[in-house]
Amino acid sequence: MNSKILKALVPLPCLAATAVQALPIYQSNEVTLYMEGYFTAHMVNTMGATQMQNGASRIRIGLNVPAYDKWDTGFNLEWGINAISSAQNLIIQGDQQAAPGDRGESLYLRQGHAFAKHPKWGDFVIGKQWSVYYDVTYITDWYNVSGGLASGTYALGTDGGVSGTGRADSAITWRKAWKFDAGEFQVGLQYANHVADLNISVEDVAGPNTLLVCPPGDCEYGQSQGFSAVYRANIGKGLFLGVSYNRVQMDIASNNGIVLNTALNGEPLVISNDFVFDADSNDWTAAFGVYYGEGAYEKGWYAALVLDRSQNNELAPAGSVEGITNFFDAKGSESFISYTWGANNCYSIYGGHNLLRSDDNEFDRALIRENEFRLKQIYLGAQYRWNDRVKLYFENAFDSSNDVAAPVVGNFTAVGFRVDI
């Protein structure tokens, strides 16, 4: 064999890696303005088609302002970028999720918040930000293409903003960590009083051939609260234990419910606008997480598991049930395992699973097909870190979900790259 070809088959060398730092734009004694983010894209073969897809590309601008008595203040603004095609459908899930109204935008807001941090009093953050719930569920959200489907984080097919479980909307958070010889213990609290309308319509509630519609402003997501507790123990390579909980009040009540007659040809006819109903409920989810290792894609083994239990925090595809809302109670689990080696941690293999199943008898009985919602994916991938800011990856998903979950998941094979700022 030609020696030039032999040389071409040798694995690419690992370039010297250094700690990734934010890129300073302006720095003085009073402020530091910096930029972070990355560009990523992948070629994906799924559902019989191959296409280039947007990854979770983003850019973040931050300002740090040292204040009196060790206070550090400032703000962060982060935008998601659909750089490959702004009109492309979102097939891959997880951290690539945007709010429904942002999915066709080339540039959309991922985070926007102000902060004040103090070594004694903790970290206060106000605005759209990573939730305290994510302080636990992030440990399995390390896949390059998919993942994050079964922990309750990206609830209702969104970025978890309305529910407060992912990139929480209009949230106030406080986090405080205490370090001691055996490790570190951290708690987080979260509150949000934002309002998001629920577009609810239910058939045959007011009689045959009728449709009950909740008027705008009456059915909504209301107050939410979140909590997390994390312990990082100095055991071996590092042991993490964490629990988190999030609850949202769902106000589904009105004295002005609109009842439509759907038996007529053409447009439904309003027959009442004062129908009284009250179906208030709660959307809550709880998670437990554990991992061992230095971190995902760090040298040696990293193994993480998240278990989730939720009520009204998952949403089945439209048209999959009869007579009730698509919200359902669920149990979920996620895992992520990586092994990394090489002089500069260049080579990684990784894998794991996402499993989400309905745990709601009323919902299961109302399914048109199947007797439960079951989303199940197994992942297997490899990553090559060319240097500390450039990496290449290959990822497969082997899907065995049932027909109810099929519209939102599927098998895929992806090859992609990521370049950090």
Side-chain angles (χ1 to χ4, degrees):
M1 187 179 289
N2 188 289
S3 61
K4 292 183 179 179
I5 298 177
L6 280 172
K7 290 179 181 179
L9 294 177
V10 174
L12 290 171
C14 293
L15 303 183
T18 58
V20 172
Q21 296 181 349
L23 182 66
I25 300 175
Y26 174 79
Q27 195 166 15
S28 70
N29 293 331
E30 296 181 352
V31 299
T32 300
L33 182 66
Y34 61 90
M35 179 171 62
E36 286 183 307
Y38 58 81
F39 175 88
T40 180
H42 26 254
M43 186 70 73
V44 180
N45 180 277
T46 183
M47 300 180 183
T50 300
Q51 59 181 316
M52 181 69 78
Q53 284 198 344
N54 295 297
S57 301
R58 66 198 66 177
I59 187 168
R60 181 161 72 96
I61 302 295
L63 181 73
N64 280 69
V65 184
Y68 70 97
D69 190 28
K70 298 182 181 180
W71 282 98
D72 182 23
T73 61
F75 67 81
N76 289 302
L77 294 173
E78 181 181 270
W79 294 272
I81 304 171
N82 288 325
I84 302 302
S85 172
S86 63
Q88 189 176 57
N89 293 328
L90 293 184
I91 297 175
I92 308 303
Q93 310 276 315
D95 191 30
Q96 299 181 63
Q97 287 281 30
D102 294 331
R103 294 183 179 179
E105 301 294 330
S106 297
L107 193 69
Y108 60 91
L109 184 69
R110 283 174 57 93
Q111 296 188 71
H113 56 260
F115 62 84
K117 302 180 180 182
H118 191 277
K120 179 179 180 180
W121 302 112
D123 299 351
F124 299 86
V125 185
I126 300 176
K128 186 171 178 62
Q129 58 185 288
W130 282 116
S131 67
V132 298
Y133 186 79
Y134 193 68
D135 291 351
V136 172
T137 60
Y138 86 92
I139 66 174
T140 54
D141 194 20
W142 289 104
Y143 295 99
N144 285 301
V145 182
S146 188
L149 306 177
S151 65
T153 301
Y154 306 108
L156 313 178
T158 72
D159 66 347
V162 172
S163 60
T165 52
R167 296 190 294 275
D169 291 341
S170 307
I172 301 172
T173 63
W174 173 75
R175 292 176 174 91
K176 170 64 178 171
W178 293 268
K179 295 184 178 180
F180 43 93
D181 291 341
E184 178 184 276
F185 179 72
Q186 175 186 294
V187 297
L189 300 175
Q190 178 176 311
Y191 174 79
N193 195 24
H194 62 85
V195 172
D197 281 350
L198 285 168
N199 185 8
I200 292 179
S201 57
V202 184
E203 295 179 349
D204 300 331
V205 170
N209 300 317
T210 62
L211 180 68
L212 171 64
V213 177
C214 185
D218 279 11
C219 299
E220 60 193 20
Y221 274 81
Q223 298 181 3
S224 69
Q225 301 88 30
F227 166 80
S228 67
V230 168
Y231 175 54
R232 293 178 173 88
N234 297 328
I235 299 175
K237 293 287 187 178
L239 177 66
F240 172 103
L241 297 169
V243 293
S244 59
Y245 175 81
N246 188 82
R247 175 183 176 274
V248 189
Q249 181 179 347
M250 298 171 64
D251 297 320
I252 307 174
S254 178
N255 293 322
N256 303 299
I258 301 171
V259 179
L260 304 173
N261 186 338
T262 58
L264 304 175
N265 293 327
E267 291 292 326
L269 177 67
V270 176
I271 57 178
S272 174
N273 59 6
D274 57 0
F275 189 87
V276 178
F277 63 92
D278 187 346
D280 288 350
S281 186
N282 291 314
D283 169 350
W284 64 260
T285 183
F288 166 77
V290 57
Y291 78 68
Y292 179 80
E294 292 186 11
Y297 305 116
E298 297 296 330
K299 191 168 186 176
W301 287 101
Y302 171 85
L305 174 69
V306 168
L307 303 176
D308 166 69
R309 176 74 172 88
S310 66
Q311 174 184 290
N312 294 327
N313 194 59
E314 300 294 342
L315 194 64
S320 59
V321 294
E322 288 183 337
I324 64 170
T325 177
N326 287 9
F327 291 104
F328 64 91
D329 305 344
K331 291 181 178 179
S333 65
E334 297 183 2
S335 65
F336 179 88
I337 302 172
S338 68
Y339 180 72
T340 301
W341 73 98
N344 295 299
N345 300 341
C346 289
Y347 305 105
S348 298
I349 54 174
Y350 63 89
H353 84 286
N354 279 192
L355 173 63
L356 181 70
R357 306 181 74 160
S358 57
D359 186 36
D360 188 324
N361 291 333
E362 183 182 5
F363 169 83
D364 291 343
R365 287 194 298 267
L367 285 169
I368 297 173
R369 301 184 307 275
E370 306 287 353
N371 58 4
E372 68 171 355
F373 177 99
R374 186 184 73 248
L375 181 154
K376 184 178 181 180
Q377 289 198 317
I378 304 296
Y379 305 102
L380 182 63
Q383 176 179 289
Y384 170 70
R385 186 183 298 175
W386 196 351
N387 59 40
D388 213 48
R389 295 187 184 273
V390 180
K391 67 180 182 181
L392 311 174
Y393 52 83
F394 171 79
E395 187 170 305
N396 277 298
F398 306 95
D399 186 80
S400 56
S401 304
N402 66 4
D403 288 344
V404 183
V408 295
V409 290
N411 297 312
F412 70 79
T413 298
V415 178
F417 68 96
R418 167 173 157 173
V419 180
D420 287 41
I421 292 175

